[in-house]
Amino acid sequence: MKTGNVIALASRIREKANRLIVSELAKRGISGIVPSHGDILIRLFDGQRYTMKDIAERIHRTKPTVTILVDKLVDLGYVVKEKSVEDSRVTFVALTEAGLALQPVFEEISHKLNTAVYRGLSDNQAEVLEAMLQKINNNLDI
Protein backbone atom coordinates (compact mmCIF):
# COMPACT_ATOMS: atom_id res chain seq x y z
CA MET A 1 0.00 0.00 0.00
CA LYS A 2 1.23 3.46 -0.86
CA THR A 3 1.83 5.72 2.13
CA GLY A 4 2.33 9.44 2.51
CA ASN A 5 -1.27 10.32 1.73
CA VAL A 6 -2.60 10.93 5.26
CA ILE A 7 -2.82 14.71 5.03
CA ALA A 8 -4.56 14.63 1.65
CA LEU A 9 -7.06 12.06 2.94
CA ALA A 10 -7.66 14.03 6.13
CA SER A 11 -8.28 17.14 4.05
CA ARG A 12 -10.81 15.35 1.82
CA ILE A 13 -12.54 13.86 4.87
CA ARG A 14 -12.80 17.30 6.45
CA GLU A 15 -14.22 18.80 3.24
CA LYS A 16 -16.85 16.06 3.01
CA ALA A 17 -17.74 16.36 6.70
CA ASN A 18 -18.10 20.13 6.36
CA ARG A 19 -20.29 19.67 3.28
CA LEU A 20 -22.53 17.27 5.21
CA ILE A 21 -22.81 19.72 8.12
CA VAL A 22 -23.70 22.68 5.89
CA SER A 23 -26.19 20.56 3.94
CA GLU A 24 -27.90 19.35 7.12
CA LEU A 25 -28.10 22.90 8.48
CA ALA A 26 -29.65 24.06 5.20
CA LYS A 27 -32.22 21.23 5.33
CA ARG A 28 -33.28 22.66 8.68
CA GLY A 29 -33.52 26.20 7.32
CA ILE A 30 -30.34 27.40 9.03
CA SER A 31 -28.02 29.52 6.91
CA GLY A 32 -25.00 31.64 7.63
CA ILE A 33 -23.43 29.18 10.05
CA VAL A 34 -20.29 27.40 8.89
CA PRO A 35 -18.58 24.45 10.58
CA SER A 36 -15.99 26.71 12.25
CA HIS A 37 -18.85 28.36 14.16
CA GLY A 38 -19.67 24.96 15.63
CA ASP A 39 -16.66 24.90 17.93
CA ILE A 40 -17.79 28.15 19.53
CA LEU A 41 -21.45 27.20 19.81
CA ILE A 42 -20.64 23.79 21.31
CA ARG A 43 -18.57 25.51 24.03
CA LEU A 44 -21.46 27.84 24.80
CA PHE A 45 -24.15 25.14 24.92
CA ASP A 46 -23.32 24.59 28.60
CA GLY A 47 -25.10 27.88 29.31
CA GLN A 48 -22.01 29.66 30.63
CA ARG A 49 -20.49 32.81 29.24
CA TYR A 50 -16.86 32.79 28.22
CA THR A 51 -14.29 35.42 27.44
CA MET A 52 -13.01 35.68 23.91
CA LYS A 53 -9.63 34.53 25.24
CA ASP A 54 -11.18 31.44 26.87
CA ILE A 55 -12.94 30.51 23.65
CA ALA A 56 -9.79 31.00 21.58
CA GLU A 57 -7.80 28.75 23.91
CA ARG A 58 -10.49 26.07 24.09
CA ILE A 59 -10.98 25.81 20.32
CA HIS A 60 -7.31 26.33 19.44
CA ARG A 61 -7.84 29.44 17.33
CA THR A 62 -6.36 32.92 17.51
CA LYS A 63 -8.30 35.70 19.23
CA PRO A 64 -8.68 37.64 15.95
CA THR A 65 -10.17 34.56 14.28
CA VAL A 66 -12.55 34.01 17.19
CA THR A 67 -13.56 37.67 17.08
CA ILE A 68 -14.53 37.37 13.41
CA LEU A 69 -16.48 34.16 14.01
CA VAL A 70 -18.24 35.56 17.10
CA ASP A 71 -19.13 38.80 15.30
CA LYS A 72 -20.85 36.75 12.58
CA LEU A 73 -22.78 34.80 15.24
CA VAL A 74 -23.80 38.12 16.82
CA ASP A 75 -25.05 39.34 13.42
CA LEU A 76 -27.05 36.11 13.04
CA GLY A 77 -28.57 36.58 16.50
CA TYR A 78 -27.12 33.44 18.07
CA VAL A 79 -24.76 35.05 20.60
CA VAL A 80 -24.29 38.32 22.43
CA LYS A 81 -21.09 40.04 23.49
CA GLU A 82 -20.96 41.71 26.90
CA LYS A 83 -18.19 43.91 28.25
CA SER A 84 -16.93 42.96 31.71
CA VAL A 85 -18.03 45.33 34.45
CA GLU A 86 -14.71 44.82 36.24
CA ASP A 87 -12.42 45.19 33.22
CA SER A 88 -13.62 46.87 30.03
CA ARG A 89 -10.85 45.14 28.05
CA VAL A 90 -12.57 41.79 28.66
CA THR A 91 -15.51 40.74 26.50
CA PHE A 92 -17.79 37.85 27.39
CA VAL A 93 -19.74 35.81 24.88
CA ALA A 94 -23.02 34.07 25.70
CA LEU A 95 -25.79 32.33 23.76
CA THR A 96 -29.09 33.98 23.00
CA GLU A 97 -32.29 31.94 23.09
CA ALA A 98 -31.92 31.45 19.33
CA GLY A 99 -28.40 30.15 19.90
CA LEU A 100 -29.51 27.78 22.63
CA ALA A 101 -32.24 26.48 20.30
CA LEU A 102 -29.49 25.25 17.97
CA GLN A 103 -28.28 22.66 20.49
CA PRO A 104 -30.67 19.85 19.51
CA VAL A 105 -29.99 20.55 15.84
CA PHE A 106 -26.23 20.29 16.43
CA GLU A 107 -26.73 17.05 18.36
CA GLU A 108 -28.79 15.56 15.50
CA ILE A 109 -26.22 16.57 12.89
CA SER A 110 -23.35 15.35 15.04
CA HIS A 111 -25.07 11.98 15.42
CA LYS A 112 -25.61 11.76 11.66
CA LEU A 113 -21.97 12.67 10.97
CA ASN A 114 -20.63 10.17 13.52
CA THR A 115 -22.87 7.44 12.13
CA ALA A 116 -21.44 8.06 8.65
CA VAL A 117 -17.84 8.26 9.87
CA TYR A 118 -17.92 5.05 11.89
CA ARG A 119 -20.12 3.04 9.49
CA GLY A 120 -18.64 -0.40 8.95
CA LEU A 121 -16.01 -0.04 11.67
CA SER A 122 -15.96 -2.31 14.70
CA ASP A 123 -15.63 -0.69 18.12
CA ASN A 124 -12.01 -1.84 18.19
CA GLN A 125 -11.27 -0.38 14.75
CA ALA A 126 -12.86 2.93 15.78
CA GLU A 127 -10.72 3.05 18.93
CA VAL A 128 -7.54 2.23 17.00
CA LEU A 129 -8.37 4.84 14.36
CA GLU A 130 -8.88 7.54 16.98
CA ALA A 131 -5.69 6.53 18.80
CA MET A 132 -3.68 6.73 15.58
CA LEU A 133 -5.16 10.11 14.65
CA GLN A 134 -4.41 11.42 18.15
CA LYS A 135 -0.82 10.19 17.79
CA ILE A 136 -0.48 12.02 14.45
CA ASN A 137 -1.99 15.12 15.99
CA ASN A 138 0.50 14.96 18.86
CA ASN A 139 3.37 14.35 16.42
CA LEU A 140 2.56 17.64 14.73
CA ASP A 141 2.68 19.69 17.94
CA ILE A 142 5.52 22.12 17.56
Side-chain angles (χ1 to χ4, degrees):
M1 178 178 172
K2 181 184 172 196
T3 60
N5 205 23
V6 170
I7 301 303
L9 284 170
S11 177
R12 278 188 240 133
I13 291 166
R14 182 177 178 168
E15 285 176 28
K16 289 178 180 183
N18 286 346
R19 227 177 302 137
L20 183 145
I21 292 166
V22 170
S23 171
E24 289 298 317
L25 287 168
K27 285 179 187 176
R28 291 162 174 81
I30 299 168
S31 62
I33 293 180
V34 295
S36 53
H37 288 127
D39 287 336
I40 294 169
L41 291 168
I42 288 168
R43 296 292 172 219
L44 296 171
F45 284 150
D46 66 6
Q48 302 296 312
R49 63 184 194 153
Y50 292 96
T51 66
M52 298 288 259
K53 180 182 176 192
D54 288 338
I55 293 171
E57 288 173 359
R58 288 173 186 250
I59 69 170
H60 309 288
R61 300 281 184 125
T62 64
K63 277 181 63 179
T65 298
V66 168
T67 298
I68 291 167
L69 292 169
V70 166
D71 286 346
K72 177 67 173 183
L73 290 171
V74 168
D75 292 344
L76 293 169
Y78 296 121
V79 301
V80 292
K81 295 192 323 188
E82 307 162 347
K83 285 286 186 189
S84 169
V85 182
E86 294 85 28
D87 185 347
S88 63
R89 297 171 295 175
V90 175
T91 300
F92 289 101
V93 180
L95 286 175
T96 62
E97 286 188 34
L100 189 56
L102 291 173
Q103 186 170 2
V105 171
F106 271 63
E107 289 171 358
E108 288 172 23
I109 294 171
S110 179
H111 177 73
K112 184 168 187 163
L113 179 61
N114 282 326
T115 298
V117 166
Y118 293 105
R119 186 179 305 123
L121 297 179
S122 69
D123 289 346
N124 186 56
Q125 288 172 319
E127 288 174 16
V128 169
L129 173 62
E130 287 191 17
M132 291 187 320
L133 290 172
Q134 185 60 55
K135 175 123 179 96
I136 292 168
N137 186 54
N138 293 343
N139 288 347
L140 294 172
D141 284 341
I142 305 173

